[in-house]
Amino acid sequence: MRNIRNSELTDRRSAAADAKKALLEAYRAAKEAAEPTQLARQAERQAVAAAREERRAGRERAKAEERERLEAEAAEREAAVTAAARAEIEAREAAEKNRISRVIEDEAARKAERDRRYANRKARQA
């Protein structure tokens, strides 16, 4: 059966205001009741975010360490190549100096032999 009483404007307005007030109180009560779980969820989200950030920082550190290791290896290889090239150049220079000294020694020996023959020849003539 329908509501038989006479609903006037003020009655309807007060009923609407009461309904709004009841909804607001229910919302506040639900919000207060859910606050501990909300705080727990928020703490959980912050923990997850912190863990995510820690993993990201760990990956960045690992990448930096790997990059430094690769750079160090490249520097070592470059130093080894430079040292090998320097050693090869020094060996060539030493071989060249050795060859030159042998040529000079041979030339000196030939000159000494020539001078000896010349001295012998002069000695026989005199």
Side-chain angles (χ1 to χ4, degrees):
M1 210 175 202
R2 294 194 83 165
N3 192 358
I4 299 177
R5 70 181 193 149
N6 190 5
S7 292
E8 300 229 352
L9 179 63
T10 56
D11 292 337
R12 290 189 310 235
R13 285 180 69 187
S14 66
D18 290 342
K20 273 187 181 179
K21 190 184 292 184
L23 284 174
L24 184 60
E25 287 174 9
Y27 170 74
R28 285 184 182 153
K31 187 175 177 184
E32 287 177 9
E35 189 166 330
T37 58
Q38 180 185 6
L39 292 176
R41 282 193 313 248
Q42 185 177 9
E44 182 182 343
R45 282 193 297 261
Q46 288 175 348
V48 167
R52 184 182 309 122
E53 181 63 27
E54 181 63 32
R55 288 191 306 269
R56 186 195 61 75
R59 285 192 304 270
E60 290 295 323
R61 279 192 304 272
K63 285 180 185 179
E65 290 171 359
E66 180 68 15
R67 185 174 33 246
E68 289 174 2
R69 185 185 64 79
L70 290 176
E71 288 173 357
E73 286 178 1
E76 288 176 9
R77 282 193 303 269
E78 185 176 331
V81 167
T82 304
R86 188 178 308 122
E88 183 180 338
I89 290 170
E90 289 174 359
R92 265 195 237 137
E93 289 175 354
E96 182 69 20
K97 287 179 183 177
N98 191 10
R99 187 181 65 79
I100 290 171
S101 66
R102 277 185 285 137
V103 167
I104 290 173
E105 288 173 2
D106 289 346
E107 187 66 33
R110 277 195 302 267
K111 184 177 186 225
E113 180 63 25
R114 187 185 69 210
D115 288 347
R116 187 189 58 75
R117 283 190 313 234
Y118 181 74
N120 285 342
R121 191 172 50 233
K122 283 292 189 182
R124 276 182 277 150
Q125 288 177 358

